[in-house]
Amino acid sequence: MMSSIKTAWTWIDDRTGIMQMLGPPLKHHVPRNAKWWYVFGSCTLLFFTIQVVTGICLALVYAPSGDSAYDSLLYLDYVVPGGWMLRAIHAWSSNAMVFMMLVHMTQVFLHGAFKFPREMTWIFGVALMLTTLALAFTGQVMRWDSDAYWGVGIGASMMGRIPFIGGWLTHLILGGPIIGGDTLSRFFSLHVFILPGAMIGLIGGHLMLVLRHGISEEPKKGGPGEFVDKATYRAAYKERMKKHGVPFFPDAAQRDMVFCGIMLIVLVVVAAWYGPIGPSPRPDPANILVNPRPDFPFLWIFAILALLTPTIEDYLIIVAAPVVLMVLFLVPFLAGTGSRLASSRPIASLSVVLLITGLLVLSWLGVTSPWSPHMSAWTSDAVPPVFVKGRTPLQLQGALVLQHSQCRNCHSLDGLGGKRGPELGDVASRLSRDQIIRQVQQGDGNMPAFGKNLTAAETDALAAFLYSCHPPGVQPATRPGAQIKQLIELDKARANN
Amino acid sequence: MTRRLHWLAAALLPVLVAGCDWHFPGKPIKTVEPVAGSRAEFDRIYFVNCLGCHGPEGRNGPARPMNDPLYLAVIPDEVFERVTTEGHGVLMPGFKKTPFGGLTTKEISDFTTGIKKFWGDPKKAWNDLPPYAQPEGAGDVALGGKTFATYCGSCHGPDGSGKPDGAGSVVDKFYLDLVSDQALRSTVIFGRPDLGCPDFRGPYPGRPAGQGLTPADIDNVTAWLVSNRVSLDEEAAR
């Protein structure tokens, strides 16, 4: 059996010369100390390969038309054997690819591997990052659910702000003036043909450049390759590889395979455990009860756009985003030589820390989206019984005003309800009765004024109810912040107990 | 050779696991639409539309408890359906279907049937139930004031203005501006059993057990409560 396979392989190799072609790349020398830090790029490639394979399988069933795309996902989830797993692996490998690509870029940046002579390798890497994000975004649109609908809406709105060509570009992407069936067709073409094609080309270029310039050593204090000097680096690197380098296969490739194997198992476990992503409710612009949010790679953008004031949005989209992208492309030209040690590059290291912290915090805010009103809270989130027992008839009417005026969509009682505004379960310990009435009538900050929407009776009842909302043992406030001391003491007593 | 086979098996394992259509936690479960008239459908409608005001399990909310067999025995079906569809008074919104949500006529009809089936007590033989609505022209204000002081005064004060450690005022001008005549009558008939206020059958604090309000008493107390209402516009003009 084995000898037959060997004979067949020898025949194929003889006729095609495949080993002659693959041999040099596989045997090219890499630094001996290029160990576990160097596995992330291969793993990103693995996730891309998985997406190509699963994407082809999904395309056999998926119907890229406005009226049947959503149903074809349900068909995959509930009817096609293993269809849900295919969707899950495709979606999670997309997230994993973005994550692994960011880890790879962080490693390259911190190790200064973008410096001379690898500037073009970095530029190809940034282009790959943008293509990966574009693939992830267009992939989300393929679900054709409410997340996709609103995601496209926001993307189109951002694109429309580009001076001069914004309107034309939006029309081109949407396939018309509004989001419809043509929009899905265009995004399908992007997701399945154009972007993967670009991706394969860019990966080819990236790998070719890696082979041309070699893999940079892990920078160590006083070690080889700590400093990059344009005059000497190339010759010194060549010399070091000749003396101390090891062939990529099998030395370095083994580590890649082990890491990729582990990540593959993790991917399958995550897919089996968490299942496919979406679909959320059907795309319906009239349905205000949906709470759309983008996939993981775009949560931070979602958070930024939600938290910034509208006046800054234009500058962020038109000025800041291109500037950041330009800086990213120009990194190798801004710091192309000198030390590669992260500890010798405090600004670079600090930038990474700030960037990662910012992305994590913004993504977390994107997940929780505390700014989004909970649109059905006024009818579906109960007034907790503790706020009903012992209340006067007027206060009970005030609780009804609270619900009927949809205050609960933004404010919670005992943690239940919207989180956009402050919790009201202890409002009386912060605001006096007069302040509550002023706040209701005039509003403040993001809160609209209800003065013209509520009658005197409704305002009085609402104030009566809210003024009864204070923690047990804390008297309601009679002047601003009057009960802060009591609250602090209560917190201390609770902590001691 | 054996080692190679182990590696091959390890590599194929994720593929095999991925290919199996087992019931992993992530496998989507098809949501079964609740059958019209079922308990699940009734719960769905209640949780989405009514829970906010009428409380968990139909009690202990700021609005009238709906999980009250007496209330469900007295209120006529057509009134219940009308109130659910069109709303009532100032603070009960209508839930008629609109492009932005709401309930279909069929859903409201099923909900009316369901609430009586699941929260009512259809097998109980109710005797001497007062009419849901106030008969036209019924009610003596003076007698109503006296009856209120006798039956309700121990909690709400003899004049209805509330007691510091008891129940609150029922003659507050803002309260009376927000509630309808029917809401006042309903409170007299059904009380708020979930909050400790008895229905018309009692027991009333300080009164012998079994001594409740007669239909005439209910008419009178309702008339007295309504008589305390003042026009806020006229008051403001003064």
Side-chain angles (χ1 to χ4, degrees), chain B residues 24-49:
Chain B
F24 292 113
K27 185 172 183 178
I29 298 164
K30 198 168 187 176
T31 317
V32 180
E33 291 294 320
V35 179
S38 67
R39 176 70 199 231
E41 173 67 350
F42 168 74
D43 284 344
R44 183 191 69 77
I45 293 174
Y46 183 81
F47 288 145
V48 172
N49 301 286

Side-chain angles (χ1 to χ4, degrees), chain B residues 12-29:
Chain B
L12 283 177
L13 188 67
V15 181
L16 288 172
V17 169
C20 292
D21 199 26
W22 292 335
H23 287 271
F24 292 113
K27 185 172 183 178
I29 298 164

Side-chain angles (χ1 to χ4, degrees), chain A residues 404-424:
Chain A
H404 189 259
S405 305
Q406 305 193 11
C407 309
R408 288 292 295 286
N409 293 3
C410 291
H411 293 281
S412 59
L413 275 176
D414 227 5
L416 202 64
K419 303 284 189 294
R420 189 179 172 87
E423 157 78 30
L424 293 180

Side-chain angles (χ1 to χ4, degrees), chain A residues 181-354:
Chain A
D182 288 345
T183 313
L184 182 59
S185 298
R186 303 220 166 176
F187 273 86
F188 182 75
S189 302
L190 278 170
H191 187 69
V192 174
F193 302 114
I194 299 167
L195 292 172
M199 192 83 182
I200 290 166
L202 287 167
I203 290 172
H206 192 67
L207 291 179
M208 195 188 76
L209 290 166
V210 168
L211 289 171
R212 178 173 167 76
H213 299 296
I215 296 169
S216 65
E217 295 107 325
E218 184 182 340
K220 293 260 169 69
K221 188 84 179 164
E226 183 194 345
F227 288 97
V228 174
D229 181 350
K230 281 184 180 175
T232 58
Y233 183 82
R234 269 193 169 132
Y237 177 82
K238 205 172 176 182
E239 187 62 26
R240 285 198 300 274
M241 286 305 106
K242 208 171 180 181
K243 279 186 183 169
H244 310 294
V246 290
F248 172 73
F249 188 89
D251 291 61
Q254 271 183 353
R255 272 185 293 276
D256 280 352
M257 284 191 273
V258 169
F259 185 72
C260 286
I262 293 169
M263 285 299 109
L264 184 62
I265 292 169
V266 170
L267 173 70
V268 172
V269 169
V270 168
W273 194 266
Y274 292 104
I277 297 173
S280 59
R282 286 178 190 274
D284 178 3
N287 186 358
I288 57 166
L289 295 180
V290 295
N291 191 9
R293 66 191 66 212
D295 284 354
F296 136 81
F298 308 102
L299 282 169
W300 63 278
I301 302 176
F302 175 53
I304 285 180
L305 291 175
L307 295 172
L308 282 183
T309 55
T311 45
I312 305 176
E313 273 178 14
D314 281 346
Y315 299 102
L316 180 84
I317 295 164
I318 300 166
V319 182
V323 166
V324 168
L325 274 180
M326 195 58 77
V327 168
L328 208 54
F329 272 113
L330 292 178
V331 159
F333 305 103
L334 297 172
T337 54
S339 175
R340 291 176 51 227
L341 270 175
S343 55
S344 307
R345 295 155 52 219
I347 294 175
S349 306
L350 195 65
S351 305
V352 170
V353 171
L354 288 176

